[in-house]
Amino acid sequence: MRTLRSEWTKFRTVRGWVLGTVAAAVAAVLFLLVGTVSSSRHQGEVGTLPVGPGGVAVNDSFSFLHRTLTGDGSLTVPVTALTGVLTDPAGGPDGTLPGVTPWAKAGIIVKSGLRQGSSYAAVTATGAHGVRMQDDFTHDRAGHLTGAPSRGAPHWLRLVRAGTTVTGYDSPDGVTWRAIGTAAVAGASVEAGLFVTAPAAVDTAGGGGSSPATATGTFGRPAVTGSWQGHWAHTRVGEGAGSSGSYVPGTSAGHRASGDGFVLTGAGDIAPVVGGPALGPAFTVETFLLGTFVGLVVLGVVAVQFATGEYRRGLLGVTFAATPRRGRVLGAKAGVVAVAAFVVGAGAAALSLPLGEARAASARFTVLTVPVSEQTRAVLGTGLLVAATAVLALSLGFLLRRSATALTALVTTTVLPYVLALGGMLPSGPADWLLRLTPAAGFAVQQTLPRHDHVLSVYTPATGYFPLPPWGGLAVLAAWALLALGAAFLVLRRRPV
């Protein structure tokens, strides 16, 4: 404790180190404000996204033929076809070609209301993933039927509501049924019926561009049990196709009777919003924390000088004379810079979020909503990211003894891979490996937009997605910091002052 107090006294009594620590926080926040101002000048208004039950920004746009179900009941229907129209990238005679996107959907849904973002459970045939049961946007389970539905091999779908529990089933023949899963949809009465939607086609191999898509589902006669009210009514939930694309020119949401069944046409998606080029310009929590790497460099200078300053001034021998156990001195210095860096990192992040949201609101710019728990993890994780990097910088200072050399090593291994990978200056393969193996992996702790297998997008570093999960990436950085700290300890024990 005495050694720790002594090192803290050294740190706080050197004006340059204290001012540098404050400057790190200021630099991080100023970089954010300058960056968002620049973005708002060059991008147009995006709009407001609905928020799902879990607090996540969602797409909730589809063509819906529905009735009101009061209490318990069931809905059963065969899907006999799922077709569609895509935008022809080659232009074509009319600019379109037949086809459906992999996650185009034609199925049945129980939804707590017509408001976008309201709770739901659905069983649906898809363009390329067979039958799925999905609920509340983020949950997706595979059914038992694969391939696409057809008149000769329809996909029979059923939803049964008992209390607030909704159970999904599928069947190849309408006789033998297998359960897929359950979900909860609250409310005394719900809207239930047939739906069709189609997210935009995403070119995952050619840079992530997207183009409009429209789907059409053909349904047999719907069979219902329980207390249903009113006649079948058609609603286009959401404006257009929401943030997931748009209708192919010349198409629109609609429905018509076909024998004793229906044909529905729609576009959009019922799914969480993800990042990537398909979404277009938008602010995320990660955007608001972009200034972290600037503050990290400034704080890295402070941490390096906290190690090399005593070499340069010839005071390290005095320090070791007062405290002969050199490992204790190193540990105390690491503790001081780690705590100071954590306070700076977490404080700057906590300040950046409301400032960034206010700047986005004033510019009428979309912010992708995430749960408060995710925001809190990103703020505290930023503190840990900066703290671990400061310990790494301190260790490099002791190992290399020269401030410029140590800082160059820090920037080269931590900041440069981050900038190259997220700036799109490297192919996705090398970028992924850099963010797995170098200390830059620690920036993954700031990511709040998860990958979703049932949402097609370009999940690469250039679109804001790290190859490691948040805590996994931070663990890689921590391992580097501990490795460097251990090497510094060995060097201090063996190298003369």
Side-chain angles (χ1 to χ4, degrees), residues 281-355:
F283 285 158
T284 64
V285 169
E286 293 90 319
T287 307
F288 301 146
L289 300 178
L290 192 61
T292 299
F293 82 91
V294 180
L296 187 148
V297 172
V298 178
L299 200 57
V301 173
V302 175
V304 165
Q305 290 185 346
F306 192 42
T308 61
E310 292 193 73
Y311 278 117
R312 189 171 60 253
R313 296 184 179 90
L315 298 176
L316 193 59
V318 177
T319 298
F320 287 157
T323 309
R325 299 181 64 177
R326 299 183 177 188
R328 181 173 294 179
V329 173
L330 177 62
K333 285 183 177 291
V336 168
V337 297
V339 171
F342 177 82
V343 172
V344 168
L351 183 60
S352 294
L353 292 192
L355 286 178

Side-chain angles (χ1 to χ4, degrees), residues 109-125:
I109 186 170
V110 172
K111 194 167 172 64
S112 62
L114 297 178
R115 178 186 62 82
Q116 286 185 292
S118 57
S119 179
Y120 77 93
V123 176
T124 179

Side-chain angles (χ1 to χ4, degrees), residues 450-463:
R451 303 168 187 246
H452 291 282
D453 291 338
H454 61 291
V455 182
L456 186 64
S457 186
V458 182
Y459 296 107
T460 64
T463 60

Side-chain angles (χ1 to χ4, degrees), residues 77-81 124-126 130-131 145-150 153-157 170-172 177:
V77 69
V79 180
T80 59
T124 179
T126 64
V131 169
L145 302 180
T146 59
S150 65
H155 288 174
W156 286 80
L157 311 176
D170 63 4
S171 170
W177 293 90

Side-chain angles (χ1 to χ4, degrees), residues 200-248:
V202 178
D203 181 11
T204 57
S210 62
S211 56
T214 304
T216 297
T218 303
F219 300 84
R221 182 180 67 85
V224 300
T225 65
S227 180
W228 294 74
Q229 299 177 357
H231 300 287
W232 293 107
H234 182 263
T235 300
R236 186 177 74 176
V237 176
E239 294 295 327
S243 61
S244 65
S246 60
Y247 281 80
V248 174

